[in-house]
Amino acid sequence: MSTTGAMAHVTVKSPDQMQELGRRLAPLLRPGDLVLLTGELGAGKTTLTRGLGEGLGVRGAVTSPTFVIARVHPSLVGGPALVHVDAYRLGGGLDEMEDLDLDVSLPESVVVVEWGEGKVEELSENRLQVVIGRALGSDGVPEDDADDVREVTVTGLGPRWADAGLPALEAC
Ligand SMILES: Nc1ncnc2c1ncn2[C@@H]1O[C@H](COP(=O)(O)OP(=O)(O)OP(=O)(O)O)[C@@H](O)[C@H]1O
Ligand SMILES: [Mg+2]
């Protein structure tokens, strides 16, 4: 397992462990941070966000924002709110995000976006890219007997993440 710069690679073996990873990532986040979650349907993006919400101490259950584009979870502990965005339904990217008229300031919140690649990158030169993939066997195809195993790669882009302690996520 190699680690270079603002990066961590974690093997997650269950939904509980995915939630736990979110809880461990939460203390590294600050107001204004943008987290982009990438991974196929059912990869575990919302499960990770649930752990983030717990770690941040926000109000409300984090669920799949299927019927809304974004949901705001205010902090219960005086920290940043969690804004959970499903960009699958967000056609126009940045402009539309600002037009959502969320009752919260994005620079004062932690914004977590599912399905955001190609749409919200311009929101911030600093962003945390979380890629969740299925474990692959030595032949390069997903392993049938490892249905619950996910390989999670967390990459911090931009100066914000240079010394943010991401490699510590690899220590379980
Ligand atoms: N290691 C794992 N990590 C996360 N979820 C897992 C894992 N193993 C199995 N699961 C299951 O996979 C599903 C993940 O669902 P989740 O809603 O988090 O995915 P998602 O990436 O948000 O999907 P969508 O693209 O539909 O929003 C859950 O049913 C969960 O129980
Ligand atoms: Mg989801």
Side-chain angles (χ1 to χ4, degrees):
M1 205 174 278
S2 70
T3 300
T4 49
M7 193 168 192
H9 178 250
V10 185
T11 300
V12 169
K13 295 187 178 145
S14 67
D16 279 355
Q17 278 188 16
M18 186 64 85
Q19 209 164 322
E20 170 69 16
L21 179 61
R23 279 196 296 269
R24 293 199 292 126
L25 180 57
L28 303 183
L29 296 176
R30 292 193 213 136
D33 280 345
L34 173 67
V35 181
L36 273 185
L37 303 180
T38 303
E40 65 190 30
L41 280 170
K45 302 181 291 295
T46 301
T47 305
L48 181 81
T49 309
R50 191 168 299 134
L52 270 180
E54 286 177 8
L56 290 172
V58 299
R59 193 175 75 206
V62 171
T63 57
S64 183
T66 307
F67 300 105
V68 289
I69 294 174
R71 184 169 287 144
V72 178
H73 297 270
S75 176
L76 295 169
V77 295
L82 171 65
V83 180
H84 184 200
V85 182
D86 185 355
Y88 200 71
R89 294 154 46 83
L90 191 70
L94 174 63
D95 294 342
E96 203 179 321
M97 181 83 195
E98 284 176 346
D99 286 349
L100 286 178
D101 206 16
L102 298 173
D103 188 22
V104 69
S105 144
L106 295 180
E108 290 170 11
S109 306
V110 169
V111 180
V112 176
V113 185
E114 299 191 30
W115 296 107
E117 47 288 346
K119 293 181 180 171
V120 300
E121 278 86 351
E122 70 268 39
L123 271 175
S124 172
E125 61 155 332
N126 293 308
R127 56 185 189 274
L128 196 63
Q129 200 106 35
V130 179
V131 179
I132 307 175
R134 301 275 173 148
L136 299 179
S138 52
D139 53 0
V141 296
E143 294 185 70
D144 286 342
D145 59 349
D147 257 6
D148 286 358
V149 181
R150 306 284 191 270
E151 301 293 343
V152 184
T153 307
V154 182
T155 311
L157 301 174
R160 151 74 179 100
W161 296 103
D163 296 306
L166 290 178
L169 290 172
E170 292 185 353
C172 284

